[in-house]
Every structure is written in C-alpha cells, then in structure tokens.
Amino acid sequence: MLHVPNFGFARVAAASPELRVADCDFNAQQIIEVIQQADKQQVEYLVLPELCITGYTCADLFLQQQLLESAREALLQITAATAELQLVVIVSLPLSIKSRLFNCAAVLQQGSILGLVPKTCIPGYSEFYEPRWFAGAEELEIFELRLGESLVPIGNDLIFISRENSNLSFGVEICEDLWVPVPPSSLLAQAGAALLFNPSASNELVGKADYRRQLVSSQSASCLAGYVYAGANTGESTTDVVFGGHSLIAENGQLLAESERFTHESRMIIADIDIPRLHYSRTVMGTFRAGKGGRNYREVLYGAPALQGEAAERELIRSVGVNPFVPGNPLQRDERCREILSIQTSGLMKRVRHIRTKHAVIGISGGLDSTLALLVTVRAMEQLGRPASDVLAVTMPGFGTTSRTYDNAVGLIKALGATMKVVDIKAACLQHFADIGHDPDVHDLTYENVQARERTQILMDLANKNGGIVIGTGDLSELALGWCTYNGDHMSMYSVNSGIPKTLIQYVVAWYADHEADETVNKLLYSIIETGISPELLPPSPTGEIVQLTENILGPYIVHDFFLYYMLRTGATPAKMFHLALHAFGDGYTRDQLKGWLRVFISRFFTQQFKRSCLPDGPKVGTVSLSPRGDWRMPSDASAALWLQEVEDL
C-alpha cells in the first residue's frame, strides 16, 4: 500500500471488544486494549458499542448500585488510559442522575471526558423493554454532570468541534436514535457535523443485517457525512437473542468497511473518511446548508490529532478504484449500463417527438462513440414505433480511415437496419485545401480540422435536406479535454453521449452486445470495442494500421477520467488527485507519467472551456456533467496557474 500525505482524511474505527455481561473490570480492560491497538494504527476516532462498559443485556441488574458504581469507576479508568493519546474515544455506560437512569455515550480524549450524550429514543420492544430501566434524553434536567473531579457537559444537544479545524466536527447518537423518522444525526449534520458516531447494540435476526447495512449507508448519504456504527458482539447475553458484533463505516452512501459477524473475540474495522470531499459535496448541494433546520447545539471543543513525522504520510485505508465511473461489481455495472441506455434513449425520444423530425442523421466512424450514439438512436426509433430506416447513418471515409473501422461501420449500419449513406470526403477536403492555400502534405491541425468540419457540414446539410436532426457522438471525456474540433464534431443538434465518460462507454456498448444484440451485431460491437481509440485524421501506416492513437497523444483515458472524477465530483486539489492516482494505479504507471498526464489534463481542461460554453443539448446521466446550463459554469478565460503550480511542486 502506498504512503500518501494526509489530505484531510480522518481515520475512524468501530470496535466490538470481547465482553462479559456485568463484569465492568473485565470489560474496561478489553476496551483499553482495543484503544491501544487503535492508537498503534493511527486511528483518530474510535467508537465502541452501546453500554460496552457493563454490557447491554444486564436487564434488572442496571438497577443495582453495585453495577452502576463499578461502571463509573471503569469509565474513569478508561479515561485515564487515554491520557497520553490523542485519539477521540466514544464508550457507553449507564449513568444514574437524579433517580433516573440514562444510557449515555462518553466522549474521551487525552485523559478527559469531553462530554456525555444520552440516548434520545428509548425502544419499547419486547426483548429489551428499555423504558423499564432508562429515561430518554428529554427527561434530563441538568446540563452538566460531575464525574470524578470534572464537571462534564451532558445532553443530546452537544456537537464536538476541533479547535484547529471547524470542519472536523462530529456528533453522537445511540442505536435506535438512527431508526426513527428524523434521527438526531440528521440535525447534527445540518448543524455542521461531518462525522457521526453510533454506539449500538442491535441483535441479529434473519434479514436484519441487510436492513442495518442499508440504513447506515443511506443515512450517511442523507447527511453527506461519514457514519461509524459499532455493534455489540456475541459476548452479550443469549438468554433470548443473539448479538453479532456488526460494525459498519460508510461515507456519503458508500460502505467503506464492514466487520465479520458472530466472532467471539474483539474485532475492529478501520477506514479513512475524506472530510474535504464531504464538505465539498455539502457546498455544491444547494439543498444542504450547515445549520439550516438544525437545533442550537452546544459546542464542545476538542484537539484534532496532529499528524507528525512518518504519521503525516501513512497507508490509506480505503479503496480507491482506478475507474471511479465504472462499478466494480458486475451486477451493479450491468444495471448502470442498462440505466444509461434508458436515459439516453428516453431523452432522444422526447426530442424526436417534440420537433416531429422525419430522420435522425448520425455520422458513423466505426469507433466507440458513434457506435453508442447509433445504438441509442435506433433504440429510440424502435421504441417510438418507427423503423430503424428512419435513422440516416452516414459514414464518411477520409485520409485516415482504415479498412477495419470502415468495414465495422458499414457492417453495423446494415445489421441494425438503418439507412446507409457513404460520402467520401477526400476530394472535398482537397478542394478546400486549394481554396485556403494549404499544402495537403502538411499534416497539421488545419489538415485534421478540415476533415472534421467537412463531415459536420455534410451531416448538417443532410439533416436539412431530409427533415432531420444531427445526433452528436462526442463524450464527456472528450469535452473535458477539448478533444474535438470546434464547430466540427463539437457541434450537433442533440448530443446523446455528452454525459458519459470514455471509460464507461465501452461497458455500455458491451452490455448492449450481450443483452440486446443478435449474433452479427454482437461480433461487430466487440470488434469495435477492441479497436484503438483514434479520430483517424492522419493517414494510416503502410500496412493499413491506425497511427493516430489518441491515448498515445493525451495519455490513457482511464487516468484522465480518474482526474476528471476527483476534480469535479470531490473538489480535490491537483496534489490530492496525484497521490490518489498513485494509490489507485500502483505500479501501473510511474510518478512521472501520472504527473505529466495531470499537467495535460489541467492545461487542456482550462484552455478548452470555450468549447464547453456552447454545447448542444444532451442528457445528463451521472453525477458529473460539463453542461454550461447546469453542472459546470466556468469562465472560458480562467487561469490555470494555481493548479499548474501545484503540479510543478509535486
């Protein structure tokens, strides 16, 4: 694993220590051992299960003074054990206050009890009828409680905020607090808490683990927060039910870590939560505003763990996939591809119906982008009850067209039943070279763009002649890099691929091949997928092979899509993008390669904004879009100096 600087990642852990019911001394020792283990692994925030000092299943023993006093003593012992440590620890115990018993989470750091949070929602189900023993937070009549020699704030209105960085704020809710219609964590998040901790004791029933998993993930998404859930383990009483020690860590809907259940020894899960990413998402989401709808919380200050020396660069404990736009799970990937096709098809159907166009005109090169656009266009016509022949598919061989791409283009058009037209553009381009005084032997940008604009002119004119609209083929990655000819392939009348990154398009085409295509179309589609990505604007090799491979010029699309995702979706700085790429790609690319491609990405992203400022209409399909009418509004003449300087300083 790669050691990377700490770009605002908070290392959190949920642990379920070995436990004996009503044996506070034993439990305290196990908790202290887990705290020490967590500290060795540079954990900054550790949460343990509900009532972990006594055990959740003590029942009427909770009413015994012996147990309650022992629990308080154990809390002070655990607190003292944190004196030399910087990590924040959250443990739970019963506390007797004015003849009422409260189920409380204690927040500890550096030998001090920072605050106590009582459980708000007291469940009344049959196995554990908590109202028999515990009062809810609304019955608490005090705001401070003396523990040992300290006066500690207590209440479910506490939010813990770092002295050094207010973005490092967190809140606590306990077990069933999460299961109610408006959990306290929702209000805590609106009040600014980026981390939410839940000491819990949820027993195991058939199907309950799935529900718990969904609940934690969805709450982290709803709150745009990191959610850390620690479940009581098998050491709890099995008189009527069994506990499995189910612990979970989620970040904005993504499950980062999950414990194995039904183990009989201490277990701990650890993950790094991206705090700046959460705050970026909250800033971008207009419906989320810190404090809006939240109560007035009392602020409790704590010291954010300061990473020094080797600790400032540590192994990142979270998965960073090389292809963030593509789900790693095959079932999820198939579902995403099906959904994308449905969105594209539906968008085009609406446009065709609205303008009552006779034909959809589309240029087919034999490459991935135009292939997907053709599949979508044929699907749209079929679902409108119209023949595929209403699609006018035009292939326009030029100076760089190879026999492979030409044959694939012609074969696909015929196999799908679209109307085919072949227009050789070479003569028209040579005439244009003569008109503008350009030497056709000079294979420069003019040589390439003349071909791109000639093709677009043909498509536009054919659309006028046939009462149709031109369907665009360019994708999201090309828009990000400006890898298109202005007023050439850059322009269309409806651009169905504009929201899809290059790395995802091949999977969408493959899904169509596997699920909707006949045998002939299937073979053609896989041949297209296996063809190198190229605009084919330069003459092929003497053996007829493509020489102008886009990824040899710009760098791999998988790397550029990685940078695109982390810049637009998470607000990452160039340095953070670079180090995440090092972590994700490992030995796949060298540091110098990644640094060079990052420089290319940032330079082109800034200089090519003018092409994105006048994009045709097209459907958004994912969380990243570059439409100037929605997700991305940027000055065309903005300076990239700050970003490029950080790249140079890497």
Side-chain angles (χ1 to χ4, degrees), residues 20 33 101 221 225 272 289-290 296 299 308 442 542 568 609 621:
R20 293 177 186 170
E33 289 182 9
L101 199 59
D272 290 330
R289 291 289 184 267
N296 293 321
E299 296 181 356
Q308 303 292 339
V442 177
L568 265 67
Q609 171 63 27
V621 301

Side-chain angles (χ1 to χ4, degrees), residues 9-72:
F9 289 100
R11 180 153 298 175
V12 301
S16 189
E18 188 177 350
L19 178 140
R20 293 177 186 170
V21 178
D23 190 341
C24 297
D25 291 338
F26 175 84
N27 297 338
Q29 188 57 44
Q30 297 300 311
I31 290 169
I32 291 170
E33 289 182 9
V34 167
I35 291 171
Q36 292 169 344
Q37 292 170 12
D39 182 64
K40 290 178 182 178
Q41 297 185 64
Q42 299 175 347
V43 169
E44 295 162 292
Y45 304 89
L46 170 66
V47 60
L48 297 108
E50 182 178 11
L51 297 172
C52 58
I53 291 178
T54 58
Y56 177 74
T57 51
C58 290
D60 283 356
L61 293 178
F62 283 129
L63 305 176
Q64 295 292 312
Q65 195 64 26
Q66 181 72 20
L67 181 69
L68 298 178
E69 290 179 359
S70 179
R72 283 202 181 208

Side-chain angles (χ1 to χ4, degrees), residues 569-589:
R569 187 69 181 87
T570 76
T573 63
K576 187 172 183 178
M577 288 191 285
F578 175 70
H579 284 285
L580 287 174
L582 287 173
H583 178 75
F585 291 102
D587 296 330
Y589 303 111

Side-chain angles (χ1 to χ4, degrees), residues 238-251:
T238 58
T239 300
D240 292 301
V241 294
V242 170
F243 294 80
H246 196 192
S247 295
L248 302 152
I249 300 174
E251 176 189 302

Side-chain angles (χ1 to χ4, degrees), residues 138-207:
E138 73 281 356
E139 297 186 52
L140 190 65
E141 298 176 351
I142 60 174
F143 298 98
E144 292 179 312
L145 177 68
R146 183 167 296 281
L147 284 173
E149 298 180 358
S150 301
L151 198 58
V152 180
I154 183 171
N156 62 352
D157 59 345
L158 302 182
I159 186 168
F160 299 84
I161 300 177
S162 163
R163 295 186 186 89
E164 297 79 10
N165 182 358
S166 61
N167 284 341
L168 284 173
S169 57
F170 69 87
V172 180
E173 64 183 2
I174 301 175
C175 200
E176 280 86 0
D177 289 349
L178 172 61
W179 302 62
V180 299
V182 182
S185 53
S186 297
L187 299 175
L188 283 161
Q190 288 187 321
L195 293 172
L196 303 166
F197 297 100
N198 188 326
S200 181
S202 177
N203 62 295
E204 299 298 334
L205 299 171
V206 173

